[in-house]
Amino acid sequence: MEYVKAFETIVKEQLERVERMKTAPQSTDYKSLDKIIVGIIDGDGIGPIITQSCKKIMEELMADEIAAGKLELRDIEGLTIENRVEKLETVPADVLAAVKECHVLLKGPTMTPGKGDNMPNLESANVKLRKELDLFANVRPVSIPEKNIDWTFFRENTEGEYALGSQGVDINDDISMDFKVTTTIGTTRLARAAFEFAKANGNKRVTIVTKANIMKKTDGKFLSLCYEVAKDYPEIEVDDYYVDITAANLIKEPTNSKFNVFILPNLYGDIITDEAAQIQGGVGTAGSINQGGRYAMFEAIHGSAPRMISEGRGQYANPSSIVRAGAMLLRHIGYQDQAAALDKALDEALEALNMTSNNTGNSTDDFTKFVIEHLK
């Protein structure tokens, strides 16, 4: 039967992936590099507008390093929905090859075709890049000082439901099935990254988020493995919550101020981090890191907003999320002072400007110019 063959293929591919994970490269030592190459991927919709805004800001901020040949901002073309559909490739081979020539990526949002879009069933470009580059941890900070909220989310990036999201099987006209995967290596490396972060930042509390009472195999394994890693960090407080009560607790004061570091499987992390960003001020206010061993990718956490383009409002897109990601990128590769300056200028822009996403407020160009002026 076709669905039996499909399931056999999925299991075989996942077993092969586990073997590749066992030989994954160690983290890049950016200090040892003569030149750090930052790949700039525009994406779809408002992606080119906000990404080029961030690039202009970074060119101004890092002018000396670029002139000295220590840093290169390299445009990578071709990761557009039009090119992907034409080539019937989630990430075209030439684009992937160009990506792998870089050390870190700054990526705009890309479109994933939906069921009603009359397009081929292409996988999410983000999911594909995360798997190809083995970007196993999606790290998203959320800070609201006035509410004493300081959260950092470690979302598993290459497994869970999303890893096999385009490989579901129609058994017959009455039954469709999707799959979820949890591996020992995938979970333990995520958990260790989260605990190391907590330790480096003052032994912050770590909370594991699952639905292990229902998803007993996959979430149960995830929960057990996280607690196993926790044994190596006895100085850190650790607990766990189900995903539904976590969603409720994020808006419950003062309970929400007691949380610090979260470890979440892929799907729950996607949902919970959007909620957290909304609490901070909107999904457009947060950036995210996708980190692995050799590579790291930084991006806005919102989508490509095709409606803004179709309605002629693209020039009013708010670039703050990808600019925040740009600051995170600079900090990641060792430019702490420049990252702090960018964060400060960004905060001032968000306070001073009125980014309404239409002609009643400031434009993307207004935002870009303001940030550049306040870097000085």
Side-chain angles (χ1 to χ4, degrees):
M1 296 182 184
E2 288 299 319
Y3 58 83
V4 174
K5 293 180 180 178
F7 184 69
E8 287 177 348
T9 298
I10 288 170
V11 172
K12 180 181 178 183
E13 289 175 350
Q14 290 303 305
L15 289 170
E16 291 172 349
R17 185 177 72 88
V18 168
E19 291 305 310
R20 291 195 300 272
M21 288 162 62
K22 291 178 180 178
T23 58
Q26 299 300 309
S27 297
T28 299
D29 179 8
Y30 296 103
K31 292 181 180 179
S32 69
L33 300 176
D34 293 330
K35 178 170 69 173
I36 299 172
I37 302 173
V38 179
I40 309 289
I41 301 175
D42 282 348
D44 299 309
I46 64 170
I49 298 169
I50 62 170
T51 304
Q52 290 303 309
S53 165
C54 185
K55 182 185 177 185
K56 289 177 184 177
I57 293 168
M58 291 179 69
E59 285 175 334
E60 183 72 25
L61 178 62
M62 306 300 294
D64 291 343
E65 289 75 15
I66 292 171
K70 295 179 180 179
L71 184 71
E72 178 185 348
L73 305 182
R74 180 183 295 179
D75 286 316
I76 297 176
E77 299 180 352
L79 196 65
T80 63
I81 188 62
E82 294 82 8
N83 191 42
R84 293 161 59 209
V85 167
E86 180 182 347
K87 295 184 176 179
L88 291 179
E89 294 179 275
T90 298
V91 177
D94 58 330
V95 176
L96 184 60
V99 162
K100 289 184 175 181
E101 293 177 357
C102 303
H103 299 106
V104 292
L105 303 170
L106 182 72
K107 179 186 167 296
T110 46
M111 177 184 177
T112 302
K115 195 170 181 65
D117 290 330
N118 296 317
M119 293 183 183
N121 182 30
L122 294 175
E123 185 182 22
S124 160
N126 272 2
V127 171
K128 179 70 170 178
L129 283 171
R130 290 166 186 167
K131 290 192 291 187
E132 287 288 342
L133 304 179
D134 198 25
L135 305 174
F136 63 85
N138 180 259
V139 185
R140 297 185 178 183
V142 169
S143 177
I144 312 173
E146 63 271 22
K147 293 187 177 181
N148 196 32
I149 286 175
D150 180 19
W151 299 329
T152 304
F153 297 87
F154 281 75
R155 166 193 169 192
E156 204 293 315
N157 229 4
T158 60
E159 301 188 351
E161 296 85 352
Y162 288 13
L164 303 172
S166 62
Q167 295 177 260
V169 176
D170 290 321
I171 306 300
N172 55 36
D173 289 342
D174 295 317
I175 303 174
S176 296
M177 297 183 71
D178 279 314
F179 304 97
K180 179 172 182 172
V181 60
T182 298
T183 68
T184 299
I185 295 176
T187 302
T188 53
R189 66 184 180 179
L190 175 75
R192 195 161 298 282
F195 277 100
E196 284 293 324
F197 174 87
K199 180 180 179 180
N201 288 273
N203 295 331
K204 294 183 175 182
R205 172 185 177 185
V206 173
T207 300
I208 308 160
V209 180
T210 69
K211 195 65 177 172
N213 58 329
I214 304 299
M215 307 298 293
K216 298 183 185 298
K217 292 296 183 183
T218 50
D219 281 16
K221 183 181 185 69
F222 188 95
L223 182 63
S224 297
L225 289 169
C226 286
Y227 271 118
E228 192 64 29
V229 172
K231 293 178 182 178
D232 294 334
Y233 303 86
E235 69 279 14
I236 295 176
E237 178 186 357
V238 59
D239 56 12
D240 67 273
Y241 283 86
Y242 297 137
V243 62
D244 41 5
I245 195 62
T246 301
N249 280 337
L250 290 189
I251 58 172
K252 182 181 179 182
E253 298 180 1
T255 301
N256 54 9
S257 66
K258 308 300 182 185
F259 294 111
N260 296 131
V261 177
F262 295 84
I263 309 176
L264 313 93
N266 205 335
L267 174 62
Y268 310 150
D270 190 7
I271 296 168
I272 291 295
T273 53
D274 275 2
E275 180 195 4
Q278 189 65 33
I279 295 168
Q280 180 178 247
V283 293
T285 66
S288 74
I289 310 170
N290 297 278
Q291 67 184 47
R294 181 174 177 182
Y295 300 102
M297 181 170 71
F298 299 76
E299 59 184 339
I301 72 166
H302 55 73
S304 59
R307 183 177 297 177
M308 286 191 68
I309 299 299
S310 65
E311 293 177 356
R313 296 185 289 115
Q315 68 270 34
Y316 297 101
N318 185 345
S320 60
S321 181
I322 198 160
V323 174
R324 187 74 73 191
M328 296 162 69
L329 184 155
L330 293 176
R331 190 170 286 109
H332 182 78
I333 62 176
Y335 291 103
Q336 307 293 338
D337 293 342
Q338 292 90 331
L342 183 51
D343 273 330
K344 184 175 182 294
L346 175 55
D347 289 341
E348 291 171 351
L350 291 171
E351 182 70 24
L353 301 180
N354 185 26
M355 303 300 294
T356 61
S357 300
N358 57 48
N359 60 9
T360 65
N362 291 103
S363 68
T364 312
D365 284 343
D366 293 337
F367 189 99
T368 307
K369 292 173 183 176
F370 185 99
V371 172
I372 289 174
E373 288 172 0
H374 286 73
L375 289 172
K376 300 174 181 176

